[in-house]
Amino acid sequence: MSVTETRARELTALVAGCLASSPGVPLRRTDLQDIAAVLDAYAGGFAGLGPAGIRCLQAMQGWFDDHGYPPTIRDLQRRLGLASKSSVVFLLGQLEERGYIERPRGRARALRIIRRVPGRES
């Protein structure tokens, strides 16, 4: 199965899961953001990222645009509404492994975005 086919199945499952979670109840804003982020990234050639990775990258892009310097892990934690910094560290590791960001070791605020995704979180 190709990456495109795999991603198409993932998108279908995501949308179906969101719609089936509460029949007759409108989707939550976060569900819609996840679906929109994945579809935008997929259309832009970023099929290797899941909703959380896309939101993390968009949050970093938004922080750079708003402040002119990279966010800290705690800044990203707050911006993404995550409960722990380890969740952010995990997402950053995934983004780095896939070639979306660079993180020089031993330096604070040294994140560098290599590939941007469409849209951004404010």
Side-chain angles (χ1 to χ4, degrees):
M1 186 178 321
S2 71
V3 173
T4 304
E5 291 170 346
T6 302
R7 197 63 189 143
R9 287 176 195 252
E10 290 173 4
L11 290 171
T12 303
L14 175 66
V15 172
C18 290
L19 294 174
S21 64
S22 300
V25 176
L27 291 174
R28 297 179 311 235
R29 182 171 180 247
T30 54
D31 293 334
L32 294 172
Q33 288 173 332
D34 285 351
I35 293 167
V38 170
L39 293 174
D40 285 347
Y42 185 67
F46 292 88
L49 293 179
I54 294 167
R55 278 201 323 258
C56 184
L57 193 53
Q58 287 174 331
M60 282 191 291
Q61 289 171 186
W63 185 276
F64 273 110
D65 294 345
D66 293 345
H67 300 282
Y69 54 86
T72 64
I73 289 174
R74 186 163 308 272
D75 294 332
L76 286 173
Q77 177 191 356
R78 284 190 212 117
R79 198 165 188 133
L80 294 169
L82 297 173
S84 69
K85 292 189 294 184
S86 65
S87 299
V88 177
V89 171
F90 175 79
L91 289 171
L92 293 176
Q94 295 291 312
L95 291 170
E96 186 176 28
E97 184 179 293
R98 289 179 170 91
Y100 290 95
I101 64 169
E102 284 183 350
R103 292 188 305 166
R105 302 291 179 237
R107 293 184 54 203
R109 293 192 185 263
L111 294 172
R112 184 172 148 240
I113 297 175
I114 298 170
R115 294 178 64 192
R116 295 177 69 93
V117 295
R120 61 167 254 198
E121 292 232 345
S122 45

